[in-house]
Amino acid sequence: MGFFERYLSVWVGLAILIGLIAGSMFPGLFSTVAGLEFAHVNLVIAVLIWLMIYPMMVQVDFSSIKDVGKKPKGLILTLVINWLLKPFSMAFLGWLFFKGIFADWVDPQTASEYIAGMILLGVAPCTAMVFVWSQLTKGDANYTLVQVSVNDIIMIFAFAPLAAFLLGVTDITVPWDTLLLSVVLYVVIPLVAGAITRKKLDKGDDHTKLNGFLSTMKPWSVVGLLSTVVLLFGFQSETIIADPQAIVLIAIPLLIQTYGIFALAYWLAKRMGLSHDIAAPACMIGTSNFFELAVAVAISLFGLHSGAALATVVGVLVEVPVMLSLVWFANKTKHWFTP
């Protein structure tokens, strides 16, 4: 690992601090950047995420994707975690904490909204950032692409009914523009660009130019990640500073959910005999969330300043540091898995 990758957690910590300070000092600037969005997808964040996942897409070897079907266990693990376990465990933890443990600290209406926000996070599996976590754990790029693509297809059909069932409402309006635009921005466009780049650089099939290009792009991926962290915390700096107790209360069940789901998925991956380059991304996909979609639905259903919207935003703030800790753990425990 290079210098930046080795101390990535330090850089992320500094980026969080910079984001909070800059957001409180220059709220107008961050409000302007936050307003640069289309279909609830912030265009600046989209560019930065694209910068992160583009190198991952360059590594995808389309000639090898056909072999993914020979190793279906990793895909099965991801689908079971994402659609049969994670939404229900998130709903249970929301109810346990905000209707039970934290009931005396939060009024019933706000508690219900917090639970709703958590449910929306749990029903929306991650699309974009998974490619980053996969790359940091040296995951199989081809397999990760297939896993994300299958999840995206299922999400188009399953998100609304599952969210409606867990929320107890029937009039959920799925922001299709957000869902489809995110898939195009974070999967289709970088995938096409990566395929074209790979074809041009690897004509001789010796990987020399390709590996040189990937080495050049690696620092820019880190820059994209750190810039994303600065913006996310800058956008929410006023909320975090104004109501830190609410942030902490929401973060506690989210942390338990994230680490708990990862622990279960990682244990299952080991029991299933998966190789590490498939197990690590599979567990990351099952753990992380598609926060753009969750935030957009929370705002459309409950309003911009609702507890549900706040809960989805806290999910965004928690995710990057937590997922980096899981990346570190996955890399440290690579020897647990048979090559």
Side-chain angles (χ1 to χ4, degrees):
M1 295 179 70
F3 177 75
F4 278 105
E5 290 88 351
R6 186 175 295 118
Y7 298 102
L8 189 56
S9 58
V10 176
W11 312 136
V12 169
L14 291 174
I16 291 172
L17 185 61
I18 291 171
L20 290 173
I21 294 173
S24 59
M25 292 180 63
F26 309 105
L29 175 62
F30 280 87
S31 296
T32 301
V33 176
L36 299 175
E37 63 175 32
F38 179 77
H40 298 291
V41 175
N42 186 271
L43 301 180
V44 178
I45 295 292
V47 170
L48 293 174
I49 292 178
W50 197 90
L51 183 63
M52 283 186 277
I53 65 177
Y54 166 61
M56 179 75 178
M57 294 302 195
V58 176
Q59 297 178 52
V60 173
D61 182 2
F62 282 91
S63 64
S64 300
I65 288 181
K66 65 181 184 298
D67 297 326
V68 168
K70 299 176 182 178
K71 300 178 288 184
K73 290 191 290 186
L75 184 59
I76 292 171
L77 174 63
T78 299
L79 297 180
V80 168
I81 293 294
N82 270 338
W83 299 106
L84 298 182
L85 294 177
K86 181 179 172 184
F88 302 96
S89 63
M90 184 75 93
F92 171 73
L93 285 173
W95 172 84
L96 176 65
F97 276 88
F98 289 108
K99 293 298 184 180
I101 298 173
F102 296 155
D104 293 337
W105 297 348
V106 182
D107 67 85
Q109 176 62 32
T110 303
S112 296
E113 292 183 359
Y114 288 167
I115 295 170
M118 290 179 60
I119 288 172
L120 291 173
L121 283 170
V123 180
C126 189
T127 293
M129 294 296 286
V130 168
F131 293 109
V132 181
W133 314 137
S134 178
Q135 186 175 37
L136 291 174
T137 55
K138 295 181 172 60
D140 186 319
N142 305 322
Y143 208 96
T144 301
L145 174 64
V146 172
Q147 288 173 307
V148 171
S149 300
V150 172
N151 265 298
D152 285 343
I153 293 171
I154 293 175
M155 184 160 51
I156 290 173
F157 299 100
F159 176 84
L162 190 53
F165 171 74
L166 291 173
L167 290 173
V169 297
T170 57
D171 58 346
I172 286 185
T173 302
V174 177
W176 293 105
D177 49 356
T178 301
L179 179 56
L180 296 176
L181 178 62
S182 296
V183 171
V184 170
L185 280 177
Y186 301 142
V187 179
V188 177
I189 293 178
L191 178 62
V192 172
I196 294 173
T197 303
R198 184 183 182 92
K199 185 176 181 180
K200 287 184 175 294
L201 293 176
D202 212 26
K203 289 181 179 179
D205 203 29
D206 61 357
H207 304 328
T208 303
K209 290 183 178 179
L210 179 64
N211 291 334
F213 175 78
L214 291 173
S215 297
T216 302
M217 287 299 299
K218 184 178 288 187
W220 289 104
S221 295
V222 177
V223 169
L225 174 61
L226 297 180
S227 300
T228 300
V229 173
V230 170
L231 286 179
L232 289 177
F233 279 83
F235 291 158
Q236 300 300 326
S237 61
E238 293 181 338
T239 301
I240 295 172
I241 294 171
D243 196 3
Q245 177 178 300
I247 305 299
V248 173
L249 293 181
I250 296 170
I252 290 173
L254 288 179
L255 288 171
I256 294 173
Q257 162 80 2
T258 304
Y259 285 117
I261 285 293
F262 180 85
L264 175 62
Y266 212 57
W267 177 77
L268 288 173
K270 190 174 187 301
R271 291 296 300 270
M272 293 169 70
L274 298 180
S275 60
H276 187 266
D277 63 344
I278 292 176
C283 297
M284 298 294 173
I285 294 171
T287 303
S288 53
N289 304 303
F290 186 0
F291 52 79
E292 294 94 345
L293 180 61
V295 171
V297 175
I299 291 173
S300 65
L301 283 178
F302 300 97
L304 180 62
H305 301 291
S306 65
L310 179 61
T312 57
V313 169
V314 174
V316 179
L317 302 181
V318 167
E319 178 156 323
V320 174
V322 169
M323 293 304 296
L324 282 172
S325 71
L326 294 177
V327 165
W328 173 87
F329 178 80
N331 287 332
K332 284 290 184 181
T333 56
K334 187 175 182 179
H335 61 281
W336 290 2
F337 294 82
T338 303

